[in-house]
Amino acid sequence: MALDKIGIAKRIAQELRDGWYVNLGIGIPTLVANYVPEGLNVEFQSENGVLGMGPFPFEGEEDADLINAGKQTITVKPGAAFFDSATSFAMIRGKHVQLTVLGAMEVSENGDIANWKIPGKMVKGMGGAMDLVASAENIIVAMMHSNKAGESKLLKTCTLPLTGVACVKKVVTELAVLEIQHGAFHLLERAPGVSVEEIMAKTEGTLVIPPSVPEMTL
Amino acid sequence: MALDKIGIAKRIAQELRDGWYVNLGIGIPTLVANYVPEGLNVEFQSENGVLGMGPFPFEGEEDADLINAGKQTITVKPGAAFFDSATSFAMIRGKHVQLTVLGAMEVSENGDIANWKIPGKMVKGMGGAMDLVASAENIIVAMMHSNKAGESKLLKTCTLPLTGVACVKKVVTELAVLEIQHGAFHLLERAPGVSVEEIMAKTEGTLVIPPSVPEMTL
Amino acid sequence: MNKVQPSIENALAGIKDGMTLMIGGFGLCGIPENAIKELVKMGVRELTCISNNAGVDNYGLGLLLQQQQIKKMISSYVGENDAFERQMLSGELEVDLIPQGSLAERCRAGGAGIPAFFTPAGFGTEVAEGKEVRIFNGKPHILEEALTADFAIVKAWKGDTEGNLVYKATAMNFNPMMAMAGKITIAEVEELVPAGTLDPNFIHTPGIFVQRIFQGAVFEKRIEQRTVRTR
Amino acid sequence: MNKVQPSIENALAGIKDGMTLMIGGFGLCGIPENAIKELVKMGVRELTCISNNAGVDNYGLGLLLQQQQIKKMISSYVGENDAFERQMLSGELEVDLIPQGSLAERCRAGGAGIPAFFTPAGFGTEVAEGKEVRIFNGKPHILEEALTADFAIVKAWKGDTEGNLVYKATAMNFNPMMAMAGKITIAEVEELVPAGTLDPNFIHTPGIFVQRIFQGAVFEKRIEQRTVRTR
């Protein structure tokens, strides 16, 4: 059965390592924070200027001066730090953040990503996404395998304006975990009960399938 | 009579304007802080990371963590701020400091300055001088008119390795106040009792002398 | 030389049609809300606004957009504003979209006398069009130039009479760099205190960057995305 | 993952002959004095040290110079050290002198992923030799590249178990930028406190830049130029 959004977030949470600093994008990526494996010390950075984000505030305890990059009210944990936007992107550009998780509209087999603009539609802007994908050593895309029209989002070549070039290392969808290497999507895991055939059918880009593809354990 | 170091400092202090931020170099320039005209609010910046320097501390109140760029123990006034070296030179390079006063070994008639290196002698380094002279809108050099060998320090062309190019606006020596404009030293004022002839004799670079040269009032 | 302004009118005096303004804030967090309302009152037009976002329909820079006072926005994300969308699609509003980190660094560069720097952000995208590309450490980077403004308007938590500022939590965001990059920087603060009140060890924006300061009359501090958990 | 080091030996483990180190401080103010003494004890040699100054004869980096552990110094001013002068004149010691503001900005750039930037400092001087010159706003600038280091060793006033640091007065100086630019950054602090003790609004160096932290045993805090006024 295909994963829901929480399933995708749970699977990505398995990629976290102790001591990492992690930047989570808006949407599914934000959910990853809820599933940090027991015993791991992971700090979440938000590019608007905070390190050490905690859970959402209790009702009545919201502080307009304390938000994340999605403009949501948040809290911080002991040992947090606030800083300006230049310092925040110094952390990102300078590779001090070990993992970036973000959503995408398209990913290509060489790791290009498009997630900020659809020609002819209202352009909202790239926010911090271009800085994040240009700099992060380790980028995981969290997205659905297909778009609303049923077309694959894992492509030979992106059709939309790019956010970054040859930067995505891993994609986690409701169907599969795929690693991008040498110009192809390498199928690492499939969602419980999802067939290799379904993943093949829904992946337009070059797909490398090993003899045996294990199911995810969540 | 030629000025002493205090006289030079007093004359330079007359150039201060209300609300200015000022960086004073080591030596005579440091003395300028003692002669700020009554009623002027002037803040002193030191490039090692302090704004709002006050007088030297009373004996027993020295703090090893609180020094100026000359490594002297200092104090700060109410409203002071400490910051890192990158921010300090952002202030300097970004032209937020209105006046820089520093010493020199040579100044040329087009405003070049040499004050950091004598070939064949031990090189101590330029410290912040190159940043200061490259950026300041308003640079006053405080120095003696001649060196110890009796040679003029106001030259057609500097002979020593340069610190900066075409940057000095004004020179105050024990004999005179000179403005640098259009490739010449323009004599503005002479020290009390010093003759124009003496200044002419001790200035190697092109000297422009107006019909009447007032004496400084200190 | 007194940086403290007797009124908001004095604080914003000299802002004229056609000028370039930097406005601090991220979303509605840390915006100079009193000054923005005053700009509406002043009716200055044809403004170029450098601000990470463009406010929402009825608050922040959205108020200036409603009155069509803005000619050009330089931002990284402008997704929360209908007036913006209408004016952009109709061609009334020019928009220059810049990656957020490049925007922050370009403002800092403008304030720090760094005219240009290389960054990897945007290489291979339309952001890089027309820009010099150079390889450093095997990786392509693009050359980005500094931004400055006729006036920078920032918002701080506390400020003193010398212009020293401190910000609270994530309301800091773009304010410190913009304070550096304004030819004239105006600080709107929640609390104006005498010099010597703030600890000199913990000043976010040293007063040298601030030419005018005033205490804002009312801080609504709207929240865009109120998210809470249950007890 | 624990950043707190059980001993100074643990804190400096991995520093090897031939490595590049950044060492915080301005003169003897804000230097990691315990770590420097430990480097002498470790006997690591052929070091490249990036530090604004080179200590004095018998303290700070002067101790490493005495033991001839330094191959190359990258500094802005090195005037207070006889061993330095001797070794430089004899050719044992390489020296790269950099304008102080460029040194600070090159360290920051190294930590911030900016590979190069333009600055006016040094144009027309020997510092500019071999460097690209470009005109911006009618004024010539030179291209300066980022600096990084295998290890950065910084000194802070207080630090917490997450690696967050605060500095005191002018002992801040180069420490924040160097903390950013080290592949591994080691912080020597006067006081190590639990996470949550320091106010998150007033952190000078966020913990993300610090990999190891320890409390120094003894802080002599020598004064180079004791200047006082009479009461």
Side-chain angles (χ1 to χ4, degrees), chain A residues 106-112 143 145-146 150-159 171 173 178-187 196-209:
Chain A
E106 296 178 348
V107 175
S108 80
E109 62 191 30
N110 76 332
D112 292 355
M143 67 177 190
H145 219 93
S146 309
E151 299 157 344
S152 177
K153 295 169 71 172
L154 291 86
L155 305 175
K156 285 202 174 307
T157 309
C158 292
T159 64
V171 181
T173 74
L178 307 105
E179 193 165 31
I180 296 178
Q181 260 191 351
H182 311 304
F185 296 102
H186 294 253
L187 184 56
V196 169
E197 288 68 28
E198 182 179 354
I199 296 166
M200 285 171 70
K202 291 187 172 166
T203 305
E204 192 234 62
T206 307
L207 185 65
V208 177
I209 302 163

Side-chain angles (χ1 to χ4, degrees), chain B residues 18-21 41 43 45 51 76-84 86-87 89-98 135, chain C residues 1-3 108 110-114 160 162 164 179-182 195-201 203 206-211:
Chain B
D18 192 37
W20 274 9
Y21 292 90
N41 188 4
E43 297 293 336
Q45 197 253 20
L51 203 59
V76 291
K77 299 191 301 178
F82 301 114
F83 36 84
D84 65 47
T87 303
F89 282 92
M91 294 174 187
I92 290 165
R93 217 189 292 103
K95 300 185 188 301
H96 304 280
V97 173
Q98 278 79 25
S135 302
Chain C
M1 188 77 185
N2 192 351
K3 294 184 180 185
R108 179 187 179 277
I114 303 285
D160 72 16
E162 291 284 333
N164 294 303
M180 294 168 73
T197 312
L198 302 174
D199 184 341
N201 282 304
I203 301 295
I208 194 171
F209 295 121
V210 176
Q211 281 70 49

Side-chain angles (χ1 to χ4, degrees), chain D residues 20-43:
Chain D
T20 296
L21 309 183
M22 284 183 182
I23 314 271
F26 180 95
L28 297 181
C29 181
I31 59 171
E33 39 185 313
N34 291 281
I36 291 170
K37 286 180 199 156
E38 181 64 22
L39 288 172
V40 173
K41 228 160 122 190
M42 288 166 74

